[in-house]
DNA sequence: TTACTATATAATAATTTACTTATATATTCA
DNA sequence: TGAATATATAAGTAAATTATTATATAGTAA
């Protein structure tokens, strides 16, 4: 179910989630590409547990999905989430972040398995 | 100047600001009505300093303006702020919050000075 | 099997946030 | 002028958030 209006409590909760540069960038990237944890670790140059914890928060409210592919776990946007259209209104206004993936490709560390 | 795209850092900062139920509701109300501090105090049933501090954060980034009218200080949306259109995309998706003002009017505590 | 890689989770520490209490300033009104 | 009202700010505190370190689990590959 897609909402055109979001209760104020839910909206505040979602905006707080997006109000972090790491998570916001993740969401922008995931809107167009699936990504595995180790790629995010490289993109954000932070620790793996930190990335996992950010992803967990996004997953806990159903904004993203996870799926194992071989040894990797790929995250993807959950476009059937009831708040996806709300989220989309925000991320559509953000500049493209796919240069991060380009950088991984150039370094040869982009994971394109399965 | 109105931006159609907002840098990711700025966007995260703005979303964090909006990611609080009190501030988000304030912004939704201010988008259609000016409001003074004591009205917010009554609406949110919290302390006056707490309200002032929330308003200060919104004012510090230029999202709202303040203006003294007699003994009251009225806050209003700064619609010429460069991030207003970004903000608007968010608050347009929120349910109307003007019932709060209706309640004040019914109680006779709505301030309509000057 | 053993070693290695990828990921999650738990525990902890550091930082940030939001609220409260106390107080200062500005305005109005008697 | 003095009292009352409206607001801002400072200081302190409690709660929430984020990152780190340590460790556990699961898959892969020798």
């Amino acid at each position: 179910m897609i909402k055109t209006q979001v209760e104020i409590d839910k909206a505040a909760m979602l905006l707080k989630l997006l109000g972090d540069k790491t998570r916001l960038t993740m969401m922008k990237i995931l809107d167009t590409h699936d990504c595995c944890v180790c790629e995010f670790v490289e993109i954000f140059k932070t620790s793996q547990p930190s990335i996992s914890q950010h992803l967990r928060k996004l997953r806990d409210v159903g904004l993203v999905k996870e799926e194992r592919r071989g040894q990797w776990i790929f995250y993807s946007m959950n476009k059937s989430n009831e708040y996806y259209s709300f989220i989309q209104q925000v991320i559509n206004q953000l500049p493209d972040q796919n240069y991060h993936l380009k950088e991984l490709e150039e370094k040869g560390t982009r994971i394109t398995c399965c």
Side-chain angles (χ1 to χ4, degrees), chain A:
Chain A
M1 197 256 273
I2 286 168
K3 301 217 171 175
T4 48
Q5 288 213 333
V6 174
E7 317 91 274
I8 203 99
D9 301 73
K10 291 281 187 177
M13 177 274 288
L14 294 166
L15 294 169
K16 180 181 287 187
L17 264 183
L18 297 183
D20 172 278
K21 192 188 172 186
T22 300
R23 285 191 298 265
L24 187 63
T25 308
M26 281 175 165
M27 289 294 282
K28 180 69 181 181
I29 293 174
L30 290 175
D31 198 39
T32 53
H33 295 85
D34 295 1
C35 224
C36 78
V37 180
C38 62
E39 290 173 317
F40 282 135
V41 170
E42 199 174 338
I43 288 170
F44 296 109
K45 290 167 187 61
T46 182
S47 69
Q48 173 268 315
S50 176
I51 294 298
S52 275
Q53 285 159 16
H54 281 300
L55 287 168
R56 190 198 217 284
K57 291 188 182 190
L58 297 174
R59 198 189 32 170
D60 281 352
V61 299
L63 293 180
V64 303
K65 295 179 293 186
E66 62 161 31
E67 175 200 4
R68 180 175 282 277
R69 294 188 207 159
Q71 62 190 131
W72 298 284
I73 292 183
F74 275 74
Y75 281 81
S76 59
M77 186 69 76
N78 180 7
K79 300 201 175 184
S80 60
N81 182 277
E82 63 178 320
Y83 302 114
Y84 176 59
S85 68
F86 176 75
I87 298 295
Q88 220 181 9
Q89 293 288 320
V90 174
I91 63 184
N92 281 351
Q93 299 185 82
L94 304 175
D96 189 283
Q97 298 297 305
N98 289 330
Y99 70 90
H100 287 118
L101 297 180
K102 279 258 172 55
E103 284 178 16
L104 296 191
E105 277 160 24
E106 282 159 16
K107 282 196 281 181
T109 52
R110 177 93 164 104
I111 311 283
T112 46
C113 100
C114 311

